Amino acid sequence: MERYKDNFPRKINDQFRGNVIDNARMSQKDREALKKLASDYRKEKVSSEIKHGNSTVEQELKNLRNQVKSQIIGANGNATAEVKDMRVDTQGNLHELAQDRLNEDFNRIGGIADAAKSTADTLETQMNTGAYYNEVSHFRGRKFDTTYYITHIPHKDSQGNIIKLKRGLYGNNPNKPAHMTPSDFARKTKATFVSNASTGSGSQLKLHGQQLYNGQILNSIKGDEYAPLNDRWTLAIADDNTLTSFPPNVTASEIRNKGYNNTVSGFGPIISDGKIIVKNGDYSPNTITSEPRQVIAQLPNKDLIFFSCDGRENNTHTMIEKGMTLQEVAETLLDHYDIQFAYNMDGGGSSSSVVRSHKLNKSMDDSKTTERKVLDFLYVGKEGVQLRDQDMQNAYQDIGEVRDMVQEVRGMLYSLRRISGKEFGLTGYDGYTGFLSFDDDGNPRKKLYQGPEGWRFWDYDISRTIFRITPDELQFNNRALARMFSAPESVNNINTVDYGGTYHVPRTATGSPYPKTSSAIVMHYNVSRADFDDASTAFQLAIPFARSTNYKMKRRTYAQGAWSQWFDV
């Protein structure tokens, strides 16, 4: 075999050039020969079948090629290289190039970072939003001798999302909804705000009027079954919270065809286009009577307003709640807002505004101690987004339950003014107990009290006792009332009688006007004073029992500490 020339001169000259050319030609010739041998062998046997120790030629060539690809050039830029086995990624997958492996891991790390940021953003939003719509606010006022409550629900929350007004029915069958209180509905749904809505029949568990619930037409009581419904309008609620109303002759199907999916049956609109439109006698005779009311209203920017007022408590100045007419409700709303539209819903004892499980207005049923059950609701609320929301909602429920207990106690206090029990007790008697009546400025005016001498009724205006009860007598304006009994009191000594009145005097009694001959009826009078001991004068008149003209009426007087003799009349 011909050898490559390796004896090169030290200088680059023609000889040097000739040796290089000869070696190149010889190398080309060898290359072509090797290529032909490889081609011929490939036709006969694939390289993967050629054994090389415990491996194959093909695997060894692949390893060698990957090692070459994996070379890292030294810092000095020369051909010195260190082979690094760094082609396995974090998931244990082998890549042909270290760069491929790095790209795979960087992409995976980038995905994890993006997911972490998304999670962090979501958690931050959840931390800022909480369990309730904090945008919902409420306040209390008083007008027309009535306390009222206004709840303001903005059209959108702080993130720019619509605070959706929802129609609420509880139970599995919307055609026969569960009968429950608004407070219970608020606790079950974790709602931010709940209001009662439609009128209906609690005994039949059916709503009144034209009813749409999320697009479904409900089986409800119509005007042919309950005539007053023929005068009542239907409230319709659009998906963007826009409120409007339809007259009694418009059906639920027609309302749905106009694009509305939810309706409420109440009474009718009281404000439209910013003006009061309700007139006396509209929708119901109680339009002009003072009642507890529940009204929904809307501002031009689509914010919602719920109005509740108390009523039916014409009692002392500290607890009077007259209630409002619909005209008064409309005037009160316009005192606070530029109301575009307002609609009168079911009122009376059904009126309820519940904010975060806290009922704002007073309950009416069972002597004002319990909340009335209703069939449907209007509410706003959102799903709990984290575990702390459950804790917050439970805390607000506890507050609501305390409010319910306060309402019950308040109802009991109200009932004290209308006592129906068999006994009423005052404890702590130590020689005095009583009742005081005050005027509107808190000044005492009348007092009924018990002291050691008995019961007295005192008048602060004239500073004296009007009426007194002692164990021995009754007094009016400091004068003892006569002892006038249908069976006169019998005495054994008429000389010692102290109190005015009529007495039976036997003929054997000391001082008898008819001694040993006839019994008598003696009328005794004290002059000038309440008691006999204080009297300057006393007088007695005797009528005999004897059936004879020989016995005449007698009289006598008391003066200077002694009785005179009896004289015939």
Side-chain angles (χ1 to χ4, degrees):
M1 178 181 291
E2 189 176 1
R3 291 176 53 85
Y4 284 34
K5 294 180 179 180
D6 57 0
N7 186 18
F8 287 83
R10 292 182 180 275
K11 295 181 179 181
I12 300 177
N13 51 27
D14 289 341
Q15 181 182 354
F16 185 94
R17 178 175 178 274
N19 289 342
V20 171
I21 292 173
D22 290 340
N23 285 344
R25 290 173 177 172
M26 187 179 301
S27 177
Q28 178 65 25
K29 182 178 179 181
D30 292 339
R31 179 177 177 274
E32 292 176 354
L34 290 173
K35 183 178 180 181
K36 184 176 183 303
L37 288 173
S39 177
D40 292 340
Y41 185 83
R42 191 179 298 114
K43 293 178 181 179
E44 297 177 2
K45 193 171 187 179
V46 296
S47 61
S48 60
E49 296 179 355
I50 301 176
K51 299 296 182 180
H52 180 79
N54 293 327
S55 182
T56 64
V57 172
E58 182 180 23
Q59 182 63 43
E60 292 301 315
L61 289 174
K62 182 178 180 181
N63 291 341
L64 180 61
R65 182 171 61 252
N66 287 340
Q67 285 183 349
V68 172
K69 289 181 179 180
S70 299
Q71 288 182 356
I72 300 177
I73 303 300
N76 59 5
N78 59 25
T80 302
E82 180 182 2
V83 177
K84 296 291 185 180
D85 193 3
M86 55 179 297
R87 296 173 295 108
V88 179
D89 64 22
T90 58
Q91 303 298 310
N93 299 317
L94 180 64
H95 297 267
E96 290 190 358
L97 298 178
Q99 185 63 44
D100 295 339
R101 172 254 169 162
L102 291 174
N103 288 338
E104 179 71 18
D105 283 345
F106 287 154
N107 289 337
R108 185 175 292 109
I109 293 171
I112 294 173
D114 291 342
K117 183 179 185 304
S118 176
T119 301
D121 291 343
T122 300
L123 289 175
E124 182 179 6
T125 300
Q126 293 174 349
M127 289 293 292
N128 291 333
T129 55
Y132 298 105
Y133 284 114
N134 293 325
E135 299 84 354
V136 175
S137 61
H138 63 88
F139 64 90
R140 180 176 64 179
R142 187 167 178 84
K143 192 174 183 179
F144 302 118
D145 290 328
T146 303
T147 304
Y148 62 87
Y149 310 84
I150 289 180
T151 303
H152 184 178
I153 302 174
H155 185 230
K156 294 184 178 181
D157 62 17
S158 57
Q159 282 75 45
N161 302 312
I162 293 179
I163 301 179
K164 175 64 178 171
L165 179 64
K166 303 174 185 178
R167 177 86 188 280
L169 297 172
Y170 203 81
N172 297 323
N173 184 2
N175 285 299
K176 281 193 176 296
H179 208 204
M180 63 193 308
T181 67
S183 292
D184 283 341
F185 182 84
R187 294 178 186 121
K188 290 180 181 297
T189 59
K190 314 296 184 185
T192 302
F193 173 81
V194 174
S195 167
N196 66 295
S198 300
T199 59
S201 171
S203 60
Q204 300 181 56
L205 297 182
K206 291 177 68 174
L207 295 166
H208 285 163
Q210 305 298 328
Q211 291 287 339
L212 284 172
Y213 174 64
N214 296 334
Q216 177 185 353
I217 298 177
L218 300 182
N219 180 22
S220 58
I221 298 173
K222 305 296 194 303
D224 55 348
E225 300 178 67
Y226 183 55
L229 296 178
N230 294 320
D231 296 323
R232 301 180 186 178
W233 289 48
T234 303
L235 174 68
I237 306 166
D239 292 342
D240 67 347
N241 289 355
T242 299
L243 304 180
T244 190
S245 59
F246 292 93
N249 60 338
V250 180
T251 66
S253 178
E254 292 172 321
I255 296 174
R256 184 174 61 181
N257 291 339
K258 294 180 182 293
Y260 297 92
N261 291 312
N262 286 283
T263 62
V264 166
S265 68
F267 291 87
I270 62 174
I271 297 176
S272 182
D273 294 328
K275 298 179 181 179
I276 299 176
I277 63 170
V278 65
K279 298 180 179 60
N280 292 346
D282 282 352
Y283 320 125
S284 170
N286 70 4
T287 298
I288 60 174
T289 60
S290 298
E291 305 285 349
R293 302 288 183 180
Q294 189 74 5
V295 171
I296 184 173
Q298 191 161 52
L299 307 185
N301 64 356
K302 296 187 180 181
D303 285 7
L304 296 172
I305 303 296
F306 281 87
F307 176 96
S308 296
C309 74
D310 296 324
R312 297 178 183 170
E313 293 183 13
N314 280 308
N315 297 288
T316 69
H317 72 285
T318 57
M319 299 186 78
I320 184 172
E321 297 294 352
K322 178 179 69 67
M324 293 188 186
T325 67
L326 289 186
Q327 177 75 25
E328 291 170 341
V329 171
E331 292 177 11
T332 305
L333 282 169
L334 291 174
D335 284 346
H336 296 284
Y337 297 99
D338 178 19
I339 300 293
Q340 181 71 17
F341 172 85
Y343 179 92
N344 181 38
M345 298 190 294
D346 189 15
S350 298
S351 301
S352 291
S353 285
V354 181
V355 178
R356 292 184 287 273
S357 297
H358 170 195
K359 187 171 184 288
L360 300 180
N361 58 308
K362 300 178 181 68
S363 297
M364 298 294 299
D365 288 358
D366 295 334
S367 298
K368 305 184 186 302
T369 60
T370 60
E371 186 178 355
R372 181 173 298 181
K373 295 180 179 180
V374 296
L375 294 174
D376 70 332
F377 312 89
L378 292 177
Y379 73 104
V380 296
K382 54 186 177 179
E383 299 296 331
V385 293
Q386 50 190 323
L387 290 177
R388 61 139 195 191
D389 292 335
Q390 185 66 48
D391 295 333
M392 291 185 62
Q393 289 164 342
N394 289 339
Y396 275 107
Q397 287 184 18
D398 292 342
I399 294 172
E401 290 174 0
V402 171
R403 174 66 170 78
D404 291 343
M405 287 187 283
V406 171
Q407 170 64 44
E408 185 175 0
V409 172
R410 180 192 171 279
M412 292 177 180
L413 292 174
Y414 172 83
S415 298
L416 289 178
R417 303 193 304 276
R418 302 168 180 264
I419 298 173
S420 60
K422 294 182 178 180
E423 293 183 353
F424 176 73
L426 294 176
T427 60
Y429 177 75
D430 58 357
Y432 169 84
T433 188
F435 300 90
L436 275 171
S437 176
F438 297 86
D439 61 20
D440 288 343
D441 296 324
N443 301 311
R445 303 302 295 273
K446 312 291 181 184
K447 178 169 67 172
L448 176 63
Y449 67 98
Q450 183 184 22
E453 77 284 359
W455 283 95
R456 299 174 68 183
F457 181 79
W458 176 267
D459 190 320
Y460 284 89
D461 295 333
I462 57 178
S463 299
R464 74 165 185 258
T465 296
I466 302 297
F467 189 75
R468 179 186 286 121
I469 304 173
T470 74
D472 298 319
E473 65 183 28
L474 301 178
Q475 294 181 12
F476 177 72
N477 285 332
N478 288 327
R479 293 178 182 274
L481 298 180
R483 295 183 174 228
M484 303 295 290
F485 304 115
S486 60
E489 182 181 356
S490 184
V491 296
N492 293 322
N493 188 346
I494 192 61
N495 295 333
T496 59
V497 170
D498 292 332
Y499 301 104
T502 301
Y503 298 89
H504 171 249
V505 181
R507 60 186 179 181
T508 58
T510 301
S512 169
Y514 310 100
K516 300 181 179 180
T517 59
S518 178
S519 298
I521 294 295
V522 175
M523 289 176 285
H524 175 91
Y525 300 95
N526 293 323
V527 182
S528 300
R529 301 295 178 185
D531 296 327
F532 179 79
D533 292 342
D534 298 327
S536 59
T537 291
F539 176 81
Q540 289 181 346
L541 179 66
I543 303 173
F545 272 27
R547 298 179 180 182
S548 171
T549 58
N550 296 326
Y551 293 89
K552 298 182 179 180
M553 294 177 59
K554 294 181 180 290
R555 63 176 176 81
R556 68 175 180 171
T557 58
Y558 178 87
Q560 298 179 354
W563 284 103
S564 70
Q565 67 181 45
W566 288 99
F567 299 98
D568 290 340
V569 175

